[in-house]
Amino acid sequence: MSAVIILALGLAVMALGYLVYSKLIAEKIFRLDPDFKTPAHEFEDGVDFVPTNRYVLWGHHFTSVAGAAPIVGPAIAVIWGWLPAFLWVVFGTVLFAGVHDTGAVWASVRNKARSVGALTGDVVGKRARSVFMIVIFLLLLMVNAVFAVVIAGLMMKYPSAVVPVWGAIAVALVIGQLIYRRILSLAVVSLLGVVALYALIGIGPSVPVQMPEQVGAMSGNAVWILILFGYAAVASLLPVWMLLQPRDYINGLQLFIGLIILYGALVVFNPTLVAPMVNADVPEGTPSMLPLLFVTIACGAISGFHGLVAGGTTSKQLDKETDARFVGYFGAVGEGMLALGAILAATAGFATYGDWSAMYDAFGKGGVNAFVDGGAYIINNGMGLPETTAATLLTVMAALFAGTTMDTGLRLQRYIFQEWGEIYNQQWMKKPAVATLLAVGTCLVLAFGAGADGSGGLLIWPLFGTTNQLLAGLTLLVVSVMLMRLGRPVWYTLAPLIFLLVMTVLALFTQLKSFYEAENYFLLGLDIVVLIASILVAMECAATLKRLRQEKAEQVG
């Protein structure tokens, strides 16, 4: 099968979803109002609440949600064949993720930009809120601890990416000043930022920065992780316009240019998908495709982490409520395009089926390495760029997105501690600096408490997909209840909610068996916690929706 045909089909469906389906959702279901006063204006403070140009805000939202997961998940899931991964990424993006992201922004904006977790207490009940907050905390802990490991690993393996990755922060700081102080137009700033970023990528291979394998008593990997958390702590306390917004915006532009290069190389090179359409000969130990496909791809289609960003930072910066369609739905489409690129790089970026099967000789293999190596092979053959330069380009893309997600993730974790301070009347916990220290501290405890090299977060990563999908279901529950109370159609959100809960529970039972057989009692216990949370959520869904139907029936009667 030609990779170009699959690329064209995927992009066509996603374009149709944004142009047609998102318009229906925005106008008929959420009924976005351009005259509604958003929290960005109501509570404007120049730090967290900042009315923002929708293109800049899209860059923040998109790059915050598009971390390493939409690359890693799909590039692992192709072990079952490229067709199942392709179908879930494309249709999951259009029918699930876009609706989820737009709905999460809308729900938060309509409730003073409160997070979906805090909002659950009012919309569903205090029990659901307690479950929601625990799941959110676990997910953020996983994301922050593991993405630090991913970025550190990339910089250790590809030292040519170090200068572009850290140089991008300096570029973002300059861009933030230019945009916020309106020194130059957005178009000029965008052009200058992209040129600077790609100049750094070009310079990277000439000035590689190799961290020593051992620095004193610590590994080089551990040193990078500490540096990353130090940076993320500072970044989470800075005003969003100073670093977070411009860093995310310029990374969003960089990703689309990177995807254009990858997609353009695909069209010129026109490689064949060497991976099987449906793999009937998976390596021993590979779990069943159903339901593990959905939780493995996770962020490549729909992700609960998107709801955290939508209700955590994005809703505080939305200039007009109608911008939620572009920022939320098109942000999900952008991530779907990244996931599609990961699938094609991981299946068409190999010369032969033998090369591909050597990479995928066990479940969990592939991931970022398959994306970088496969993508570099395609770009080299299609565009003529040296494979080292192409690999640097793709590595920087993956590292920058993991970094922006980590930036936002730590800020969101700070918000969680502050919300707990509000809920339980702990004034000291509501202070930004204290909440940030608590957020960083818990991540470091996980990272170094279970691994001297800082990779402890990887211990709980196998449960990321199920926890993530459970969180997406919780967000859709909140949105569905709000729609039902307003007398609007709910099946657009309720159908994805039911599907996610069913697949999540089945996946948790599947993993429960594998953890028990492997005698991994730590993950077994954590799996049981998440499984109980899933069942409680399902019961809350049924009870809340039944109660609302009865109330509506009584009103009609």
Side-chain angles (χ1 to χ4, degrees):
M1 175 67 73
S2 167
V4 175
I5 294 175
I6 299 304
L7 173 64
L9 287 172
L11 293 180
V13 174
M14 290 186 197
L16 193 65
Y18 178 71
L19 295 174
V20 179
Y21 194 61
S22 76
K23 186 176 182 181
L24 167 69
I25 295 297
E27 295 180 357
K28 304 298 182 184
I29 308 303
F30 298 127
R31 300 178 190 175
L32 303 180
D33 182 2
D35 298 321
F36 179 79
K37 188 175 183 179
T38 64
H41 290 282
E42 186 177 357
F43 306 113
E44 185 174 359
D45 60 6
V47 179
D48 293 319
F49 292 85
V50 180
T52 304
N53 176 287
R54 70 174 188 157
Y55 297 104
V56 176
L57 184 57
W58 169 84
H60 157 70
H61 179 82
F62 165 50
T63 54
S64 292
V65 300
I71 295 173
V72 175
I76 289 175
V78 294
I79 197 168
W80 290 301
W82 61 260
L83 182 62
F86 170 78
L87 291 175
W88 175 234
V89 162
V90 172
F91 290 101
T93 294
V94 170
L95 300 176
F96 285 57
V99 178
H100 170 275
D101 287 23
T102 308
V105 175
W106 168 76
S108 181
V109 165
R110 284 284 168 164
N111 288 275
K112 302 184 183 298
R114 295 166 65 197
S115 73
V116 183
L119 186 58
T120 308
D122 296 337
V123 176
V124 182
K126 291 183 178 180
R127 285 180 303 181
R129 182 185 67 186
S130 299
V131 173
F132 211 147
M133 298 292 271
I134 292 170
V135 172
I136 289 172
F137 183 77
L138 282 174
L139 185 67
L140 288 173
L141 198 59
M142 293 177 193
V143 168
N144 293 331
V146 173
F147 276 25
V149 177
V150 171
I151 301 168
L154 286 171
M155 289 193 290
M156 289 294 290
K157 184 176 181 180
Y158 304 99
S160 60
V162 174
V163 168
V165 167
W166 290 101
I169 297 171
V171 172
L173 287 168
V174 174
I175 287 176
Q177 295 294 326
L178 294 176
I179 294 175
Y180 186 73
R181 302 185 188 286
R182 295 180 173 83
I183 297 174
L184 295 173
S185 69
L186 182 61
V188 174
V189 172
S190 302
L191 179 61
L192 291 174
V194 168
V195 170
L197 196 57
Y198 276 89
L200 288 169
I201 292 173
I203 293 170
S206 303
V207 285
V209 178
Q210 182 68 66
M211 179 74 73
E213 289 292 333
Q214 200 70 26
V215 181
M218 302 183 70
S219 67
N221 198 72
V223 172
W224 273 131
I225 290 172
L226 286 175
I227 292 172
L228 285 164
F229 272 114
Y231 156 74
V234 174
S236 74
L237 291 169
L238 291 176
V240 289
W241 63 266
M242 187 176 290
L243 180 59
L244 192 69
Q245 278 183 1
R247 176 166 155 80
D248 290 352
Y249 174 64
I250 201 66
N251 284 346
L253 294 178
Q254 181 257 351
L255 170 69
F256 264 87
I257 293 172
L259 282 178
I260 289 170
I261 292 172
L262 178 60
Y263 289 166
L266 272 166
V267 172
V268 174
F269 181 36
N270 191 20
T272 300
L273 298 174
V274 298
M277 180 181 293
V278 178
N279 192 5
D281 188 26
V282 296
E284 186 178 350
T286 301
S288 170
M289 181 176 69
L290 293 176
L292 267 297
L293 171 73
F294 305 102
V295 298
T296 300
I297 289 179
C299 297
I302 181 171
S303 165
F305 184 74
H306 293 204
L308 299 186
V309 176
T313 55
T314 302
S315 62
K316 293 178 175 65
Q317 303 169 59
L318 200 72
D319 184 31
K320 295 181 179 180
E321 190 178 58
T322 46
D323 291 346
R325 177 193 172 200
F326 179 78
V327 173
Y329 198 101
F330 193 58
V333 168
E335 182 157 25
M337 292 170 64
L338 176 59
L340 178 60
I343 290 172
L344 294 173
T347 54
F350 298 86
T352 65
Y353 170 73
D355 293 337
W356 180 85
S357 59
M359 171 69 77
Y360 288 89
D361 60 352
F363 182 70
K365 292 289 190 70
V368 173
N369 290 336
F371 171 73
V372 172
D373 295 344
Y377 173 81
I378 291 169
I379 292 172
N380 173 251
N381 284 276
M383 296 291 191
L385 282 177
E387 284 203 41
T388 302
T389 303
T392 300
L393 169 69
L394 296 173
T395 301
V396 170
M397 182 190 298
L400 287 180
F401 281 111
T404 53
T405 301
M406 188 178 168
D407 285 3
T408 303
L410 201 64
R411 186 177 286 258
L412 291 172
Q413 204 165 3
R414 187 246 290 179
Y415 291 162
I416 291 295
F417 278 108
Q418 288 179 297
E419 286 182 355
W420 275 336
E422 184 72 34
I423 293 169
Y424 299 109
N425 196 27
Q426 298 295 318
Q427 298 300 318
W428 62 276
M429 196 181 289
K430 292 163 63 176
K431 296 177 180 178
V434 173
T436 298
L437 287 174
L438 289 172
V440 172
T442 51
C443 290
L444 290 177
V445 167
L446 173 62
F448 288 93
D453 62 349
S455 62
L458 294 174
L459 285 178
I460 61 174
W461 185 252
L463 284 171
F464 168 77
T466 45
T467 308
N468 194 36
Q469 300 304 85
L470 171 62
L471 191 56
L474 281 162
T475 303
L476 287 169
L477 167 62
V478 172
V479 175
S480 297
V481 172
M482 287 181 62
L483 289 173
M484 184 170 283
R485 285 179 173 169
L486 292 169
R488 298 176 191 173
V490 296
W491 279 109
Y492 297 90
T493 54
L494 196 58
L497 162 63
I498 294 170
F499 180 86
L500 285 176
L501 285 180
V502 169
M503 289 301 163
T504 299
V505 171
L506 289 176
L508 284 166
F509 274 116
T510 301
Q511 289 180 314
L512 198 67
K513 180 183 176 183
S514 65
F515 295 150
Y516 177 76
E517 291 175 346
E519 297 184 353
N520 190 333
Y521 298 115
F522 174 72
L523 283 180
L524 180 70
L526 199 55
D527 190 303
I528 292 172
V529 171
V530 179
L531 181 59
I532 291 172
S534 301
I535 294 171
L536 288 174
V537 168
M539 293 171 64
E540 289 288 344
C541 287
T544 303
L545 294 174
K546 181 180 179 181
R547 185 175 67 251
L548 285 174
R549 283 198 301 269
Q550 290 174 343
E551 291 174 359
K552 292 291 182 183
E554 291 171 0
Q555 291 173 1
V556 173

